[in-house]
């Protein structure tokens, strides 16, 4: 019995040290404003447009990306009233110079609104695809919502899990 106790006493700390790191649930948001844009408006009756945009803002919420500056590099392919496929990358830069790169994809869907006009649902997914410094080993993924807050401003709402 004493041998079992000795093995247990030695093995338990090793198991704790070797245990995989658990992902933490996170929710963070970024209010971003347009800084640059290139837009193609289709000349037909479709109202289809393709927009390459760079937006900047700040991240709020919880986790290692809270308080970071955010830049969106996005490609928005949209037919108003029908749908679209926005996608892009977000670059998060912390105050100490570390960076994280998040890839996002959205399926834009227009549904009837309460007033009979089309209402836009911009929902998708995100995942960490790279990082530097303290964020080099950051991994994670989750859900992504894009909410218009003004003519060229957007709020990104991201929920999911992150682990370093």
């Amino acid at each position: 019995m004493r041998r079992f106790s000795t093995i247990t006493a030695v093995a338990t700390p090793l198991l704790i040290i070797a245990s995989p790191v658990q992902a933490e649930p996170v929710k963070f948001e970024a209010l971003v404003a347009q800084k640059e844009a290139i837009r193609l408006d289709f000349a037909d009756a479709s109202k289809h447009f393709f927009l390459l945009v760079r937006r900047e803002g700040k991240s709020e919420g919880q986790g290692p990306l809270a308080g970071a500056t955010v830049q969106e590099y996005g490609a928005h392919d949209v037919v108003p009233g029908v749908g679209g496929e926005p996608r892009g990358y977000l670059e998060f830069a912390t105050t100490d110079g570390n960076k994280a790169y998040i890839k996002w994809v959205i399926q834009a869907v227009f549904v009837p609104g309460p007033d009979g006009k089309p209402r836009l649902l911009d929902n998708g997914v995100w995942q960490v695809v790279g990082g530097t410094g303290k964020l080099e080993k950051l991994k994670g993924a989750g859900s992504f919502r894009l909410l218009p807050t003004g003519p060229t401003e957007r709020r990104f709402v991201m929920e999911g899990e992150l682990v370093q």
Side-chain angles (χ1 to χ4, degrees), residues 3-21:
R3 183 173 178 205
F4 178 76
S5 297
T6 303
I7 291 171
T8 303
V10 171
T12 300
L14 292 175
L15 288 174
I16 292 170
I17 293 170
S19 296
V21 179

Side-chain angles (χ1 to χ4, degrees), residues 88-111:
Y89 290 89
L90 299 175
E91 178 186 63
F92 287 79
T94 62
T95 55
D96 55 1
N98 300 304
K99 292 185 177 184
Y101 299 95
I102 291 182
K103 180 179 181 176
W104 58 270
V105 178
I106 288 178
Q107 187 63 50
V109 177
F110 288 86
V111 298

Side-chain angles (χ1 to χ4, degrees), residues 39 41 45-50 77-84 110 118 120:
R39 183 176 172 129
D41 287 300
S46 70
K47 298 183 182 177
H48 187 170
F49 67 88
F50 182 73
D77 190 1
V78 178
V79 180
V82 178
F110 288 86
L120 177 60

Side-chain angles (χ1 to χ4, degrees), residues 137-159:
K137 294 184 181 183
L138 187 67
K139 301 288 181 201
S143 64
F144 186 95
R145 291 188 60 211
L146 189 150
L147 305 169
T149 58
T152 60
E153 294 81 26
R154 303 291 182 264
R155 179 170 296 278
F156 299 140
V157 179
M158 301 179 344
E159 294 186 60

